[in-house]
Amino acid sequence: MSALVTLPVLLPMLGAALTVLFSRSAFVQRLIGIVVLAVVSAVAAVLLVAADQGAPVVAELGGWPAPVGIVLVADRLAALLLLISTLVTLAVLLYAIDQRIADYGRETASTTFHPIFLLLSTGVSLAYLTGDLFTLFVAFEIMLAASYVLITRRTSATRIRSGMTYVIISLTSSLLFLTTIALVYAATGSVNLADLAERVGELPTGLQTVLALMTVVVFGIKAAMVPLHFWLPDSYPNAPAPVTALFAGLLTKVGIYALLRTQTLIFPLDGPSTLLLVIASLTMLIGALGALAQDDLNRLLSFLLVSHIGFMLFGLAVFDAAGIAGTALYVVHHITVQATLFLVSGLITRRTGTVSIDAMGGLAKTSPALAVLFAVPALTLAGIPPTSGFVAKLALLQAGAGAGLETSLVAGVVILASLLTLYAMVRVWVRVFWGAEKPPLTDPDPTDELIVGTARTAKPMYVATGALVAVSLTIAMVAGPLSAVTGRAGQDLFDRAPYQVAVLGEERTP
Amino acid sequence: MTASPNTPERVPWKQWDEPSGQWMLPGEHPPTAERTLLLEVVVRILFPTVLVFSLYLLIVGHYGPGGGFSGGLVAGLAFVLRYIAGGGTDLGARVGSRIRLRPPMLVGVGLSIAVLTALAPTAFGAPVLASAKLSVAVPVVGDVDLVTSLFLDVGVYLLIIGVVLDLLRSLGSGIERDAQGAGERS
Amino acid sequence: MNTINMSMAVVVAVLYGVGFYLLLQRSLMRVLIGIVVLGHGANLLLQLAGGPPARAPILGSAPDEQIADPLPQALALTAIVITFALTTYLLALGYRSWVLVGHDEVQDDIEDRRIAHRRAPEASMGEEAGSDDMSEDEDDPGSAAASGDPVEPSVTSGPAGSGRGVGR
């Protein structure tokens, strides 16, 4: 069982190596990618069941026990996020493959895309599973290095600027992370998360606050929380649709996951954190208001992504079992829905040849399938009752209302931000899908890899997007059992003991 | 150029001290002013030495300073030397002069070996990445300890060489080609 | 709890200061050097976290209690490798930018500027949409010139702007 925990990390890495070796054959590359991600999804499902029914599954690499060696830990939260992330990655891969086939035919292979894509998956899996701070850094670096390549791949003059911004900001945050690790190690002499949970508690309060703030800043940059969000709407929209979908779905959520893990395990609080509550409110409002000002569909979605990062921060800021559980549920819901929206945006751009909302119109008549594919995740993101967004927001609101006056006030901000999200989505709907039909624009840059403004059939792309919509609907349908799992995951994180016992063993923990 | 299959008896005495092997690096390199004879000859001598040293680092890595990464970097530096002396035409897509190998292949093979080595212990019921020591009695040398993590190091070694070669190819000769204006921008 | 010595603290501080200063520059080359310097600072800090300097890291070369903590060294090695890899990547990116754009400066976000310019007159004057379009046409080249942008971005923003005109 413990070897199973390493598979989500090792299999995509092996897949990346094999796709390099078989770079001549497009078919083999695609097959490897799909098979690897499918197997990892299955492994993640097994891990989730095992972690939910028993204790967290722990793998000690090389047989070295916890505080000394590197451990991989799959507890409820990690396994759940791993499962949903891998499913989304698989769907995005299918979309990207279909797009490639639709545009360039079955035979053309892209030598770099598949290895890099699988390496990104490796980094994401490692970030979820790792049990120590430095391996988390390495995981972030694998993930980010792969994302640098994806965002600047086959780049054009306009896209290289956004790629540069993204790379520089990410590198800076990584170096800050390294600094944090150095300070944590200097103060405690350990990088193991479970071990740190004990040792940091023995430090002076001021030092604890400094370290906690540094982790908040580092992961805040990666998660795009508000004072540190400026890079995201600048860089994400310029990448190709599958890449943006993957980034929006996964990368920021990995930042949220890292925040969740470090804040609950290493720097636990007694009650709601006022700082995080303020940041969460600002993130929700500035993101949503920023979205209303946009004309570019992808930028609008990027600002909404920032806004919804605030929702997840809110659950963490409440800092009780219910709040953390709400955040976990929200992350699961948001990974799927945000990736879906960016894929749909890719389909819309492919059809209309533009990202400008004002230049579109009447799509509901010309492409009803697209309208359905957009409407469902849009309503889900806004949190209309039968959808998964409603379930997740309800969990957050309940947690906020139950934790005192200031969290109840911020819960009001949650409702306001949800309404603003709904307004932004309705605005897109009215301008893009209703109104007079407008002819598609021609491809502004025919030389680059991305082909837009074509009505050429790409049914598999619709199917891949539809599959993600189905995943999102499934989340709404299994909301009962799912929120039970996230509830237990939140309780685990809040208690800290299950994680520590699983990693360090009974006798080391008080 | 002057290499001939003549036996020493038939060679006129004036040609006795002429080089019989090929001493300049790339055989088909066009004669340009950018070559330095001294550097090329020195690199010719240094290249195998540095490679052997990198292998030493690779093998000794488990107990002493060294390992797959530093070994790979040293080997990579050997290729960097060749690149500096012989230019892009020397490296391009070849390792040595006979084996043609694309650098990404080295990366792929190296990474595969490393990951498979990491997974292999699970077949014997040991945790992932565990290592074992095999003691072999070699007749002349004596007892040789072989640690299985050497295979991981071999994978890393190949990967690093592949990365360095790829860097030389893309940032070195790729830029040279662009500078000449003849290369297509892919 | 032992503290690090002053000279090392100063060196780390200077490396961080220089690194962050260079990060704030426009040219990608300077940013790259800034990241390298910053990386050195972070790695030095990691080393200092492992205890006082001048201790042997190799088992057997010193009594056990005088051996340097090997973990920060391993961490620093990994971090150096990562910084090295990303430095080469940034180099390649800078070169690519130079090939595509003719320089390696990180430019402004054009869309952001455009929205800022478009919204500003609306908010202050509340006029009809006609003047909005005109101000946009006037402002776009102006902003490009003011921020020192080269010709290409304003040219590429052209089709999007004209598309918007069709929309109205």
Side-chain angles (χ1 to χ4, degrees):
Chain A
M1 185 51 108
S2 80
L4 220 50
V5 186
T6 59
L7 286 185
V9 180
L10 290 179
L11 277 185
M13 208 188 276
L14 186 62
L18 292 179
T19 44
V20 171
L21 289 180
F22 291 100
S23 59
R24 293 274 165 81
S25 161
F27 173 74
V28 177
Q29 275 197 323
R30 287 164 187 158
L31 190 69
I32 291 173
I34 293 170
V35 166
V36 161
L37 288 177
V39 171
V40 172
S41 312
V43 170
V46 173
L47 284 177
L48 177 59
V49 172
D52 192 39
Q53 286 174 350
V57 189
V58 179
E60 294 168 344
L61 297 188
W64 296 92
V68 182
I70 296 172
V71 287
L72 298 184
V73 190
D75 63 349
R76 290 191 177 101
L77 180 67
L80 181 63
L81 293 187
L82 183 65
L83 174 61
I84 203 76
S85 299
T86 317
L87 285 177
V88 168
T89 314
L90 183 58
V92 171
L93 179 65
L94 288 174
Y95 179 99
I97 291 174
D98 296 335
Q99 187 176 22
R100 182 95 192 168
I101 290 177
D103 288 347
Y104 295 95
R106 221 162 257 288
E107 277 74 35
T108 55
S110 155
T111 47
T112 50
F113 179 76
H114 286 272
I116 299 295
F117 196 88
L118 288 172
L119 272 186
L120 185 85
S121 175
T122 305
V124 172
S125 303
L126 187 58
Y128 286 141
L129 293 175
T130 180
D132 76 80
L133 212 50
F134 194 77
T135 313
L136 187 62
F137 169 74
V138 175
F140 267 114
E141 288 313 304
I142 296 175
M143 188 175 88
L144 290 174
S147 73
Y148 301 155
V149 180
L150 283 180
I151 207 169
T152 54
R153 211 175 131 260
R154 304 274 164 86
T155 186
S156 60
T158 39
R159 269 176 52 201
I160 198 160
R161 182 197 56 77
S162 58
M164 281 171 164
T165 319
Y166 176 73
V167 172
I168 294 168
I169 295 283
S170 303
L171 269 177
T172 313
S173 84
S174 297
L175 287 171
L176 277 179
F177 191 9
L178 198 59
T179 312
T180 314
I181 291 172
L183 293 180
V184 167
Y185 189 83
T188 62
S190 175
V191 286
N192 184 285
L193 288 177
D195 199 21
L196 281 177
E198 282 172 57
R199 298 201 188 188
V200 168
E202 297 158 6
L203 294 176
T205 324
L207 193 53
Q208 281 189 40
T209 314
V210 168
L211 295 179
L213 276 180
M214 286 203 70
T215 53
V216 169
V217 169
V218 166
F219 298 131
I221 296 178
K222 304 204 195 268
M225 70 185 199
V226 142
L228 310 165
H229 72 289
F230 44 82
W231 56 272
L232 192 145
D234 185 6
S235 56
Y236 278 17
N238 292 308
V243 172
T244 315
L246 195 65
F247 286 12
L250 299 186
L251 299 197
T252 46
K253 302 319 175 300
V254 176
I256 288 286
Y257 169 82
L259 257 185
L260 209 55
R261 181 66 81 195
T262 51
Q263 299 306 304
T264 54
L265 196 60
I266 308 181
F267 309 106
L269 298 171
D270 294 330
S273 152
T274 314
L275 174 73
L276 279 179
L277 281 176
V278 171
I279 290 178
S281 320
L282 283 177
T283 310
M284 283 187 271
L285 288 180
I286 291 181
L289 292 175
L292 293 180
Q294 303 304 316
D295 176 48
D296 177 331
L297 181 57
N298 281 332
R299 284 176 66 91
L300 187 147
L301 290 175
S302 301
F303 270 102
L304 282 182
L305 167 62
V306 172
S307 168
H308 285 245
I309 291 296
F311 287 66
M312 296 165 222
L313 285 176
F314 169 62
L316 177 62
V318 170
F319 222 98
D320 59 6
I324 297 166
T327 298
L329 190 57
Y330 205 91
V331 172
V332 171
H333 139 75
H334 197 252
I335 286 178
T336 46
V337 72
Q338 194 74 44
T340 319
L341 277 173
F342 272 110
L343 289 187
V344 176
S345 159
L347 287 173
I348 293 176
T349 308
R350 182 186 173 81
R351 189 160 183 103
T352 59
T354 176
V355 287
S356 167
I357 296 174
D358 288 338
M360 306 180 198
L363 265 187
K365 212 173 289 174
T366 51
S367 177
L370 208 50
V372 174
L373 282 184
F374 179 79
V376 177
L379 293 178
T380 309
L381 189 69
I384 300 299
T387 60
S388 62
F390 174 71
V391 181
K393 277 187 184 120
L394 191 65
L396 282 179
L397 289 178
Q398 278 175 338
L405 180 65
E406 50 181 355
T407 57
S408 309
L409 283 177
V410 182
V413 179
V414 169
I415 297 175
L416 183 61
S418 303
L419 290 176
L420 287 174
T421 307
L422 184 61
Y423 174 59
M425 281 307 174
V426 168
R427 189 168 151 265
V428 173
W429 177 265
V430 168
R431 294 205 184 178
V432 174
F433 290 95
W434 284 352
E437 285 175 38
K438 286 169 191 162
L441 301 179
T442 50
D443 197 335
D445 188 4
T447 53
D448 68 354
E449 195 185 22
L450 193 66
I451 295 180
V452 296
T454 169
R456 202 174 335 146
T457 174
K459 281 216 184 72
M461 290 164 75
Y462 285 84
V463 173
T465 317
L468 264 187
V469 173
V471 170
S472 170
L473 289 177
T474 314
I475 291 177
M477 264 187 277
V478 298
L482 188 66
S483 56
V485 172
T486 54
R488 289 193 289 271
Q491 192 66 45
D492 281 358
L493 284 183
F494 186 64
D495 288 345
R496 304 203 291 155
Y499 189 90
Q500 285 177 283
V501 170
V503 174
L504 297 174
E506 289 287 348
E507 68 281 0
R508 278 282 322 271
T509 41
Chain B
M1 285 166 271
T2 55
S4 56
N6 291 346
T7 49
E9 291 85 35
R10 292 185 191 166
V11 176
W13 66 272
K14 280 185 179 177
Q15 293 174 15
W16 281 1
D17 55 351
E18 279 190 1
S20 57
Q22 192 191 60
W23 280 90
M24 303 297 272
L25 277 174
E28 65 272 24
H29 195 290
T32 57
E34 293 167 5
R35 311 178 71 182
T36 53
L37 177 71
L38 193 64
L39 189 61
E40 284 193 26
V41 172
V42 169
V43 167
R44 187 91 188 178
I45 299 166
L46 270 183
F47 182 69
T49 322
V50 178
L51 276 190
V52 168
F53 178 62
S54 79
L55 281 177
Y56 165 77
L57 282 179
L58 166 69
I59 293 166
V60 86
H62 193 70
Y63 292 113
F69 182 74
S70 38
L73 270 189
V74 169
L77 282 177
F79 287 103
V80 171
L81 265 181
R82 282 193 73 141
Y83 171 77
I84 290 172
T89 43
D90 181 34
L91 282 170
R94 63 177 64 193
V95 176
S97 58
R98 296 235 162 63
I99 317 157
R100 282 178 175 274
L101 197 60
R102 292 182 306 125
M105 281 295 167
L106 272 179
V107 176
V109 170
L111 192 56
S112 306
I113 292 177
V115 176
L116 289 177
T117 315
L119 275 175
T122 51
F124 304 98
V128 171
L129 275 171
S131 58
K133 195 162 81 173
L134 310 170
S135 290
V136 188
V138 181
V140 183
V141 185
D143 283 347
V144 175
D145 287 344
L146 181 69
V147 183
T148 52
S149 58
L150 180 66
F151 295 108
L152 189 89
D153 271 344
V154 169
V156 175
Y157 180 83
L158 291 178
L159 199 157
I160 296 294
I161 294 181
V163 168
V164 173
L165 283 179
D166 216 358
L167 277 179
L168 287 179
R169 193 180 63 160
S170 50
L171 281 185
S173 26
I175 289 180
E176 271 178 18
R177 207 175 49 232
D178 281 0
Q180 283 165 6
E184 78 279 35
R185 287 169 187 173
S186 60
Chain C
M1 188 188 231
N2 45 12
T3 53
I4 65 172
N5 63 34
M6 195 61 204
S7 57
M8 277 304 162
V10 169
V11 170
V12 170
V14 167
L15 284 176
Y16 271 82
V18 170
F20 274 112
Y21 176 75
L22 285 172
L23 265 187
L24 299 175
Q25 305 291 309
R26 279 260 159 169
S27 156
L28 194 64
M29 242 357 156
R30 294 186 181 194
V31 171
L32 172 72
I33 296 171
I35 289 202
V36 170
V37 171
L38 204 52
H40 287 331
N43 283 321
L44 186 59
L45 192 62
L46 258 180
Q47 289 292 301
L48 293 174
R55 285 188 166 187
I58 299 165
L59 202 63
S61 56
D64 275 359
E65 61 273 11
Q66 284 175 20
I67 281 184
D69 188 350
L71 188 63
Q73 311 214 350
L75 303 189
L77 179 64
T78 315
I80 288 170
V81 172
I82 290 171
T83 331
F84 158 72
L86 295 179
T87 306
T88 54
Y89 175 75
L90 265 184
L91 262 179
L93 193 64
Y95 174 69
R96 193 92 198 121
S97 167
W98 183 73
V99 165
L100 285 170
V101 192
H103 56 85
D104 70 340
E105 296 203 341
V106 185
Q107 296 140 34
D108 286 340
D109 188 357
I110 306 151
E111 179 76 9
D112 210 33
R113 287 295 169 91
R114 200 185 60 72
I115 286 174
H117 279 282
R118 191 183 57 162
R119 296 287 152 178
E122 262 183 359
S124 58
M125 295 181 277
E127 282 184 345
E128 69 274 18
S131 71
D132 178 31
D133 261 357
M134 280 175 61
S135 71
E136 180 185 325
D137 292 343
E138 283 167 9
D139 279 348
D140 255 356
S143 73
S147 59
D149 279 348
V151 187
E152 287 90 343
S154 58
V155 168
T156 46
S157 76
S162 62
R164 211 161 289 112
V166 171
R168 294 218 176 86

